[in-house]
Amino acid sequence: MTSPTRILSSQYYRPLSDFALHIKALSVGGVAQVWQARTGAEQPYSQQLLHADARMGLLALTQGQAYLGEQLLTPGLYITGCQQHSKVLSCAAGTHLLGARFHLAAQGNFIRQPAAEMVNQCIRIDDIDTAPQLHRAARFSEAQPFFDLIKTLSSHLPRQQQVLSGAAIEVCASTADLAEQLGKTPRTIERYCKHHIGISLRSIHKLQRVARARERIKHQRQTSLTELSYALNFADQAHFSRQFKQVVGLSPRDYQQLKWANRSA
């Protein structure tokens, strides 16, 4: 694979405008984010960071080819389990890629195999045991608008509040705290995390805190990293930098200076 050098333009990497009005309505059904990336016919490989936040995702490649890390993606529908590390998304010329992320624990509604087996995986829908509605979606093409696909899948998600939400994790520093808030035992919480997400609550909490740090850095480019580390309840800046680099692959300072940081998803 030729080393990509071009950054995916924000003109082609943004939340879908026709989806924006429906996000709030669908979020109760589990949709957290929708995005797309498109490269021109004459563009060389273009790249972007696709970040980890413990959520299941869908990738629909309608044309062209792309690499997610070292994995080659060809046209089709893919499901990504809980990712623990950011990966570089590289798109060849003439590529159109759409993506969606669901809220925590949503994958249990679509996938029959244990969530732990999906951790850090990106698997073509045809190669995995899925619920019927997702298997039918594998015939995705540009003739079926991506919004319609997500709307259909969202309708199969529980309408009630998720047992584990980003908000609950944000305010609960430990398994014991979350168990007390939800009226469950710590053992029940840990079993739930392993079964529905694939990783421990501690790991989920780490990914969520790093995700919030990325957002702060992205939208507040001059923010003090020391202040940010304490605002997000890291022990100190060294602890913050260490965990951030473990997930993103870059130190907070290097990420802050990255030209594409404000366009990563």
Side-chain angles (χ1 to χ4, degrees), residues 196-265:
H196 292 283
I197 301 174
I199 59 177
S200 68
L201 178 62
R202 182 175 182 178
S203 295
I204 296 168
H205 192 258
K206 170 183 172 180
L207 292 172
Q208 293 280 299
R209 282 204 298 177
V210 169
R212 291 197 296 277
R214 282 192 290 96
E215 288 301 305
R216 295 276 193 93
I217 294 173
K218 185 191 311 184
H219 298 295
Q220 302 172 26
R221 307 289 287 177
Q222 304 304 316
T223 188
S224 164
L225 297 180
T226 300
E227 293 178 3
L228 180 59
S229 65
Y230 287 112
L232 294 177
N233 296 317
F234 287 94
D236 51 38
Q237 188 174 348
H239 179 225
F240 168 47
S241 295
R242 185 168 57 253
Q243 291 209 342
F244 192 97
K245 189 169 184 178
Q246 287 173 354
V247 175
V248 180
L250 298 166
S251 70
R253 193 166 303 282
D254 288 342
Y255 184 77
Q256 194 174 39
Q257 297 171 356
L258 194 65
K259 290 181 180 179
W260 65 22
N262 65 334
R263 303 193 193 107
S264 53

Side-chain angles (χ1 to χ4, degrees), residues 11-83:
Q11 178 181 358
Y12 301 113
Y13 196 89
R14 62 189 186 278
L16 295 174
S17 58
D18 63 348
F19 193 86
L21 296 177
H22 303 277
I23 278 287
K24 185 174 183 180
L26 289 180
S27 64
V28 70
V31 178
Q33 181 191 42
V34 172
W35 54 271
Q36 69 172 339
R38 188 192 297 271
T39 57
E42 304 301 323
Q43 284 182 276
Y45 267 97
S46 303
Q47 65 180 192
Q48 189 53 272
L49 282 175
L50 199 60
H51 288 299
D53 60 6
R55 293 179 172 91
M56 181 196 88
L58 289 176
L59 294 176
L61 185 61
T62 63
Q63 62 185 46
Q65 70 175 31
Y67 283 87
L68 183 60
E70 298 299 318
Q71 181 180 354
L72 173 64
L73 306 180
T74 55
L77 188 67
Y78 298 79
I79 189 162
T80 58
C82 168
Q83 302 293 307

